[in-house]
Structures are given as structure tokens and as C-alpha cells.
């Protein structure tokens, strides 16, 4: 992960912590509405199914350690430079967990071998909201 935390991600921490500490329809829905407003608005039935699935998943696993690790580990520059297999990094420009612009800038500077695609007007739920566009980019990348 290229993760560079954004101010937005910090503002979402209380929602994230309440979701992992007490996963319920209410806490998960609140977090997902904050994280993926485009998904919540574009297909409410699919969004509610996603919330239901997420609640079940969170209730089936011990989430007590999540607060300790709080998110993915950030790759250091040498790790990114050392990636030799083809990699496609894609994200929505409206991602709330980290700055996509900063992540792309870092990748271009440190690991230019990694291809980057930023989807305009998309957020964290871009795969659910824009599946055809994401699929086209993945197929194009795999064909190359």
C-alpha cells in the first residue's frame, strides 16, 4: 500500500473504531456511508447488502486487534522500487482514507514501473459504483 493518511481519514477514525469495537448494522452503515457515499447513493439495495455482509464478516472474526494495527502497512521506498512484476494501482480521486494524488505522485517518483489509474469522481466504492470502467482497465492491463 502506498498509504499517505489524509485529514479525511483521521476524521473517519471514530467511525472506524466504533465499527470494529461494536460491529452492528448502525455502526457499519455509518462508516460505509462516510467511506463510500457514492455507492450508498448509486445503488441502495446493493449498498445495504454490502453492509449486511460486512456486519456478518466483522461479527465472525476477532476484531480486538484491529485498533492496535489500525490499517494497512505502508511500503517503504525500497520495497516499492523492488517490485518487478507488473502492477496496476487504481483508486478513485475522491478516496477518503488517503490522498490519492499524493500516492500517485509518490509512485511516479519512487516506483515508475507501477502503472497508475485514477478514476475521476469516484471514491472508495469505485469497484461497486463503476464496475465496467474498472473491469476495462484491469482487462487492458492484463492484455498488455
Amino acid at each position: 500500500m502506498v498509504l499517505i493518511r489524509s485529514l479525511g481519514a483521521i476524521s473517519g477514525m471514530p467511525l472506524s473504531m466504533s465499527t470494529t469495537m461494536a460491529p452492528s448494522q448502525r455502526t457499519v452503515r455509518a462508516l460505509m456511508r462516510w467511506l463510500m457515499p457514492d455507492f450508498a447513493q448509486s445503488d441502495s439495495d446493493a449498498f445495504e447488502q454490502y453492509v449486511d455482509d460486512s456486519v456478518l464478516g466483522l461479527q465472525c472474526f476477532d476484531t480486538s486487534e484491529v485498533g492496535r494495527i489500525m490499517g494497512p502497512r505502508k511500503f517503504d521506498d525500497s520495497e516499492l522500487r523492488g517490485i518487478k512484476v507488473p502492477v496496476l494501482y487504481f483508486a478513485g480521486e475522491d478516496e477518503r482514507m488517503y490522498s490519492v494524488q499524493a500516492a500517485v505522485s509518490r509512485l511516479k517518483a519512487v516506483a515508475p514501473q507501477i502503472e497508475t489509474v485514477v478514476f475521476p469522481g469516484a471514491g472508495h466504492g469505485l469497484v461497486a459504483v463503476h464496475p465496467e470502467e474498472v473491469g476495462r482497465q484491469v482487462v487492458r492491463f492484463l492484455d498488455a
Side-chain angles (χ1 to χ4, degrees), residues 8 11 14-15 19 30 53 57 59 69 75 80 93 100 107 110 136:
S11 71
L15 285 172
T19 298
D53 295 345
Q59 290 175 342
I69 58 173
F75 284 71
L80 289 171
E93 73 175 344
V100 172
L107 284 173
V110 173
R136 276 193 293 278

Side-chain angles (χ1 to χ4, degrees), residues 70-91:
M70 224 34 180
R73 180 182 68 80
K74 180 179 171 183
F75 284 71
D76 66 35
D77 290 354
S78 65
E79 289 174 305
L80 289 171
R81 273 190 216 98
I83 295 173
K84 302 298 182 210
V85 297
V87 172
L88 172 63
Y89 164 86
F90 63 85

